[in-house]
Amino acid sequence: QVQLVQSGAEVKKPGASVRVSCKASGYTFTDHYIHWVRQAPGQGLEWMGWISPNSGGTNYVEKFHGWVTITRDTSISTAYLELNRLRFDDTAFYYCARSRERIGDAFDIWGQGTLVTVSS
Amino acid sequence: DIQMTQSPSTLSASVGDRVTITCRASQSIGTWLAWYQQKPGKAPNLLIYKASNLENGVSSRFSGSGSGTEFTLTISSLQPDDFATYYCQQYNTYWTFGQGTKLEIK
């Protein structure tokens, strides 16, 4: 069964960092790009960036440059999203998702989402 | 950046109705458009890719059409499980989502 399983909910203070994991199973991890998408409570979907699990290459939306880092560990088929210098408005669900077939493609498999709450 | 605008933002309909949701792109995206369904507390689910291609396992009651800047998602006969929020997404240049259309029971 093809799936992406994410790590559990996190509560962090402003200024802290958090790392969310996304473990792939049921397919060859290096065959599909992994994307990260953010959704604030009650709001829409916002694409953040992608990683090529094969090369490790990344691309980010301009607004996330410098405080978001996407990495991967191919030995355990896992991608990571690290958020630094957290602010209250970073409270959101963070989803990983897989590109269907090629880099420029729709997202056919999604993780269940990880809620990151930033609270003092 | 390519902006995606969905209409309506909210749609009230009854079981058995045929409904259409529209998505407009701020510039031409060819047919690089997808539609997703999202239910409360769940991740989005891919319904349609490349504007009109039905994803495996998705009911044939869903269909998509369009090219360039205007696209539609049609649900032919609403079932109770269809009441959810729907998003379009362009992937011609990076990825951008529409703001969503909430489909409610009338």
Side-chain angles (χ1 to χ4, degrees):
Chain A
Q1 174 190 3
V2 176
Q3 60 179 354
L4 299 172
V5 178
Q6 297 182 223
S7 50
E10 302 267 9
V11 180
K12 296 292 182 180
K13 294 190 183 303
S17 297
V18 67
R19 189 174 79 160
V20 178
S21 67
C22 171
K23 183 172 178 58
S25 61
Y27 74 97
T28 302
F29 180 59
T30 50
D31 282 352
H32 296 261
Y33 281 61
I34 294 288
H35 299 258
W36 287 91
V37 175
R38 180 168 83 166
Q39 186 172 39
Q43 302 301 308
L45 302 165
E46 180 178 30
W47 176 72
M48 300 177 71
W50 57 250
I51 187 166
S52 162
N54 187 39
S55 68
T58 56
N59 194 5
Y60 304 97
V61 172
E62 182 64 32
K63 68 182 282 187
F64 296 114
H65 272 282
W67 69 275
V68 169
T69 305
I70 301 173
T71 58
R72 95 295 191 216
D73 183 340
T74 57
S75 70
I76 55 172
S77 299
T78 300
Y80 300 95
L81 174 73
E82 183 171 357
L83 310 172
N84 300 301
R85 304 188 302 277
L86 287 165
R87 308 184 315 184
F88 291 116
D89 62 359
D90 293 321
T91 294
F93 281 94
Y94 291 83
Y95 294 99
C96 61
R98 185 186 85 160
S99 265
R100 263 189 81 252
E101 290 184 351
R102 57 187 192 89
I103 169 58
D105 212 333
F107 304 161
D108 65 343
I109 303 293
W110 292 66
Q112 81 277 20
T114 297
L115 177 61
V116 175
T117 302
V118 183
S119 173
S120 55
Chain B
D1 293 5
I2 299 177
Q3 310 299 319
M4 306 300 291
T5 304
Q6 290 181 232
S7 59
S9 295
T10 306
L11 179 57
S12 296
S14 302
V15 172
D17 284 354
R18 177 186 179 92
V19 299
T20 297
I21 299 169
T22 298
C23 179
R24 290 186 172 86
S26 60
Q27 63 189 74
S28 178
I29 59 170
T31 54
W32 300 114
L33 185 104
W35 290 97
Y36 298 86
Q37 176 193 69
Q38 187 179 32
K39 296 181 179 178
K42 299 294 186 182
N45 182 50
L46 177 64
L47 302 174
I48 302 283
Y49 63 93
K50 211 163 183 297
S52 61
N53 292 272
L54 196 66
E55 175 68 349
N56 289 338
V58 174
S59 170
S60 58
R61 294 181 294 99
F62 293 91
S63 63
S65 65
S67 65
T69 61
E70 187 152 336
F71 303 85
T72 59
L73 172 71
T74 299
I75 311 173
S76 61
S77 176
L78 277 174
Q79 298 301 301
D81 192 49
D82 299 337
F83 292 94
T85 299
Y86 293 85
Y87 292 94
C88 63
Q89 176 204 43
Q90 70 81 20
Y91 51 100
N92 179 74
T93 305
Y94 297 108
W95 292 261
T96 316
F97 294 90
Q99 81 278 16
T101 294
K102 186 175 182 179
L103 180 54
E104 298 180 329
I105 300 175
K106 186 185 287 184

